[in-house]
Amino acid sequence: MEDGLYKEEEIVITKPIHLITQIHNLEKAKEEHIKKNINVASCQHFPLYQFPMMRDQVTTKWKDKEVDISYGGTFRAGRREKKLQQFYFDFPEDISVELFGKIKEKDFKKLDDERRPLFSGAVKYHEMIDKMSKAKAHIVIGDMKYPDYGMISQRVYESIMANCVTFIDADFDRDKIVYGNTALGQFLYVHSKEDVIKKMHKMEK
């Protein structure tokens, strides 16, 4: 466990487990555990939207938003670097962008002269939704494995709870699990930063 009390090699599982996972592709989830010599007796998907915390929250109204786009989270040991630069850097001056959480500017290996977001630091976990609610929009990105696994992160639900316009990287939700093939999906699935810019401007009209 990274940053946890134990290292992965110190945890020994000797009996078959019943796996409950956020991953939609249950075969992939099972394979990952078998690779680590864990005997999986059964595998069940848990729809995160049923989790008790996923309830309506008091959030910031649109007119009181403080930033146009924000992202909160961690750098994931560099696994999010490419997508963060693709979707959160070099926006025009009329669109403000903020990165908060355990992401620092110095974490990025290659930064050119592109316009950079505001790095505002970490927030406490229980303040995450309130912090997200200060932004008009959020762009959900994920690690490279997410599409193959059908993995939908809790950030999707948190962003919706925070009353943000929740854009999703089309590569992240390749099977369109969240919005489906709908008119809403056509607007909220985004393929590039330019796509986001165009849609942000459209919402402000």
Side-chain angles (χ1 to χ4, degrees):
M1 291 174 62
E2 188 176 338
D3 299 328
L5 296 175
Y6 301 96
K7 294 180 180 179
E8 186 173 337
E9 57 269 22
E10 294 175 324
I11 301 173
V12 179
I13 299 173
T14 59
K15 294 183 179 181
I17 67 168
H18 298 277
L19 180 65
I20 300 174
T21 176
Q22 290 175 237
I23 296 173
H24 285 73
N25 190 328
L26 298 181
E27 285 303 313
K28 285 283 188 182
K30 191 173 181 179
E31 283 175 15
E32 280 296 308
H33 287 75
I34 291 173
K35 285 178 187 176
K36 298 177 181 179
N37 297 316
I38 298 172
N39 186 352
V40 179
S42 66
C43 193
Q44 178 183 348
H45 171 66
F46 177 75
L48 191 61
Y49 60 80
Q50 292 184 8
F51 193 64
M53 72 171 282
M54 300 304 175
R55 61 186 187 276
D56 291 338
Q57 301 273 335
V58 177
T59 53
T60 308
K61 294 180 180 179
W62 186 267
K63 66 180 179 65
D64 298 323
K65 300 284 188 177
E66 298 174 1
V67 65
D68 293 310
I69 301 172
S70 77
Y71 178 88
T74 65
F75 201 57
R76 297 283 183 180
R79 294 192 300 274
R80 297 276 170 89
E81 182 174 8
K82 183 178 179 181
K83 286 293 184 180
L84 282 167
Q85 284 193 261
Q86 179 183 347
F87 281 105
Y88 284 92
F89 281 70
D90 208 21
F91 274 80
E93 291 187 3
D94 63 340
I95 297 178
S96 55
V97 182
E98 177 183 12
L99 297 186
F100 65 92
K102 296 179 180 180
I103 303 174
K104 301 179 179 66
E105 188 171 350
K106 66 180 182 180
D107 292 332
F108 293 85
K109 297 173 184 174
K110 292 184 179 180
L111 289 179
D112 298 322
D113 294 329
E114 68 262 40
R115 186 165 180 257
R116 301 174 188 184
L118 169 68
F119 292 83
S120 58
V123 299
K124 295 178 180 178
Y125 184 78
H126 69 277
E127 296 173 351
M128 186 77 173
I129 303 297
D130 287 338
K131 178 65 175 175
M132 291 179 75
S133 76
K134 301 294 192 295
K136 294 177 181 177
H138 178 89
I139 308 162
V140 179
I141 59 174
D143 297 355
M144 298 302 290
K145 285 187 175 181
Y146 277 40
D148 291 335
Y149 286 69
M151 177 76 174
I152 302 302
S153 72
Q154 71 183 56
R155 198 70 74 239
V156 173
Y157 306 101
E158 289 173 341
S159 177
I160 293 171
M161 289 165 59
N163 197 27
C164 296
V165 175
T166 305
F167 293 114
I168 298 178
D169 173 14
D171 290 337
F172 166 78
D173 186 12
R174 188 173 55 203
D175 296 327
K176 299 184 177 179
I177 295 169
V178 178
Y179 297 129
N181 288 300
T182 62
L184 179 65
Q186 288 178 11
F187 186 79
L188 292 177
Y189 286 120
V190 291
H191 297 84
S192 66
K193 174 183 58 192
E194 289 69 29
D195 200 6
V196 176
I197 292 170
K198 180 176 66 176
K199 290 171 178 178
M200 289 294 293
H201 286 157
K202 188 172 183 179
M203 287 193 298
E204 294 292 350
K205 287 183 179 179

